Amino acid sequence: MFVYNFFRVDLGLFASPGTSFGKDMNTQGHDGVDDYLQKVDLFFSLIFKRILSVQRYPIWLYRLTEDYKTESKCWELSSGMSKRLLQERKLHPRQTELQQQGDNFGRKPALNFADNLFDEAENNPSLTEEHLLNHIDTIIAAGHDTTANAVSNLLLMLAIHQDVQEAVYQEVMSVCPDKTKPVTTEETNGLVYTEMVCKETLRLFPVAPLLARKSVTDVKLDEKHTIPAGSCVCICVYTMHREPSIWGPEPTKFNPDHFLPEKVANRHPYAYIPFSGGPRNCIGIRYAWLSMKILIAHLVRNYRFKTSLRMEDLDVKFAIMMRITNGCMVSIEER
């Protein structure tokens, strides 16, 4: 048996860089010091700190603070990686015969994010270098630690709730029992209970605990209350996901049955919004559910997870992303 802190491991964007950029970005390989990830974490923390400090809103005033200097250094490191990715792509374009024509069976390899982005730029002159850098920065910012955070919390929930972990294991072994084969997209459709567990984890521990929107028109809530056009509105997802009038008398209890079909049908569709909702929801929502189920399926059919932590022990910290401050400490046993 060995113990590993999944809270400190990025299981998301940078764990498999080929998925997004086709390149090992080595964000955790600097002599054991994950400098890049720490700097991005610090950058987001400073942004959230500024959001909560009205006196820091004027840029001329914020520039006088030490936090502004630190934030600028963090951004310089992050944007520098985006510029290197763009420069390397220019020096090494994707032009191999296999990629252009496919293999002997006519199959072409799937394109990663960078391939799709640069191919689109080649066919669309309006996409400037600045646009490309903005897209790369967005995918790094949006993908950084989000999947890792969600999966870390999910493994902790399985470790705390052994009965749930066993039910997930039994379902996984009934749908995709061969440990030597990868879990397919088609097989994930049969992981119904596993998806319920994923959703319940994100109900209690949404990656983004707060959402902000700007009202473009007057929004009438009832006879007495109207949100004026141009107003900034903040939605506390964390609080809404624990509202007793929506989730029953024990809203803080981990219960995957909250997502039984009959219960979902009787609940307002916007009562559960871990990926926001409407036309401006997260563009990666389908990929997120798919990747979470595939990763959990591979993990539970090979390992058991245990922890000494209890639900009542857990504390959370709000920022751009919400974290469990205890750390997701679990022990791992090979099955």
Side-chain angles (χ1 to χ4, degrees), residues 10 93 155 194 237 317 321:
D10 191 335
L155 291 178
T194 302
V237 178
K317 176 183 178 182
M321 289 190 298

Side-chain angles (χ1 to χ4, degrees), residues 48-66:
F48 192 72
K49 182 179 179 180
R50 188 183 180 195
I51 290 174
L52 299 179
S53 305
V54 178
Q55 67 272 20
R56 292 169 176 251
Y57 283 15
I59 186 61
W60 64 268
L61 191 59
Y62 185 51
R63 283 174 177 161
L64 301 177
T65 67
E66 287 298 320

Side-chain angles (χ1 to χ4, degrees), residues 21-306:
F21 294 107
K23 171 181 168 51
D24 186 355
M25 297 164 72
N26 195 29
T27 57
Q28 293 177 307
H30 306 295
D31 297 324
V33 180
D34 49 350
D35 184 62
Y36 178 85
L37 299 181
Q38 289 180 356
K39 288 295 191 296
V40 176
D41 278 342
L42 179 57
F43 177 75
F44 285 133
S45 297
L46 292 173
I47 290 176
F48 192 72
K49 182 179 179 180
R50 188 183 180 195
I51 290 174
L52 299 179
S53 305
V54 178
Q55 67 272 20
R56 292 169 176 251
Y57 283 15
I59 186 61
W60 64 268
L61 191 59
Y62 185 51
R63 283 174 177 161
L64 301 177
T65 67
E66 287 298 320
D67 283 351
Y68 173 78
K69 298 176 183 178
T70 304
E71 180 185 312
S72 299
K73 291 179 181 178
C74 292
W75 175 247
E76 184 179 347
L77 175 64
S78 176
S79 60
M81 180 169 289
S82 301
K83 292 176 181 177
R84 288 197 299 275
L85 285 168
L86 180 59
Q87 186 61 31
E88 289 184 15
R89 175 55 187 244
K90 290 181 176 179
L91 294 175
H92 305 287
R94 184 184 60 84
Q95 294 292 339
T96 67
E97 182 178 352
L98 175 61
Q99 289 166 324
Q100 294 299 316
Q101 301 179 4
D103 58 17
N104 293 332
F105 299 97
R107 298 173 301 190
K108 294 184 178 180
L111 302 184
N112 57 39
F113 169 78
D115 289 335
N116 279 298
L117 177 62
F118 293 124
D119 282 1
E120 182 66 23
E122 290 176 3
N123 299 318
N124 187 350
S126 64
L127 280 176
T128 65
E129 182 171 310
E130 182 180 1
H131 290 140
L132 295 179
L133 287 172
N134 287 338
H135 280 300
I136 295 173
D137 288 337
T138 297
I139 204 67
I140 290 178
H144 167 71
D145 215 22
T146 49
T147 303
N149 197 30
V151 173
S152 298
N153 295 343
L154 177 52
L155 291 178
L156 180 60
M157 292 301 101
L158 293 178
I160 292 175
H161 305 91
Q162 289 293 309
D163 56 332
V164 174
Q165 182 177 174
E166 181 61 23
V168 170
Y169 173 72
Q170 293 298 332
E171 180 180 69
V172 168
M173 294 308 291
S174 68
V175 174
C176 41
D178 192 341
K179 298 181 180 181
T180 64
K181 295 182 179 179
V183 178
T184 66
T185 303
E186 291 73 22
E187 287 173 331
T188 62
N189 294 328
L191 300 178
V192 178
Y193 184 73
T194 302
E195 182 172 320
M196 291 166 57
V197 174
C198 293
K199 289 182 175 180
E200 178 68 354
T201 300
L202 286 177
R203 178 183 74 85
L204 291 175
F205 305 101
V207 174
L210 299 170
L211 298 174
R213 292 290 185 267
K214 187 174 183 179
S215 177
V216 296
T217 61
D218 290 348
V219 179
K220 189 174 182 179
L221 300 179
D222 54 36
E223 294 301 325
K224 295 183 179 180
H225 302 93
T226 298
I227 300 175
S231 300
C232 291
V233 182
C234 189
I235 304 167
C236 186
V237 178
Y238 177 85
T239 301
M240 186 170 68
H241 283 184
R242 294 168 179 251
E243 170 57 44
S245 64
I246 300 174
W247 304 97
E250 297 181 299
T252 61
K253 181 179 179 180
F254 184 85
N255 182 12
D257 286 352
H258 280 134
F259 294 94
L260 289 169
E262 58 271 21
K263 292 189 177 181
V264 173
N266 292 326
R267 196 161 53 232
H268 193 284
Y270 287 96
Y272 178 72
I273 50 172
F275 296 96
S276 184
R280 293 187 63 82
N281 71 342
C282 175
I283 61 174
I285 181 172
R286 185 174 180 276
Y287 171 78
W289 289 130
L290 186 63
S291 61
M292 286 178 68
K293 287 194 288 183
I294 289 176
L295 182 53
I296 290 301
H298 278 282
L299 289 173
V300 299
R301 70 183 184 182
N302 287 283
Y303 305 101
R304 292 185 182 90
F305 301 90
K306 297 180 181 179

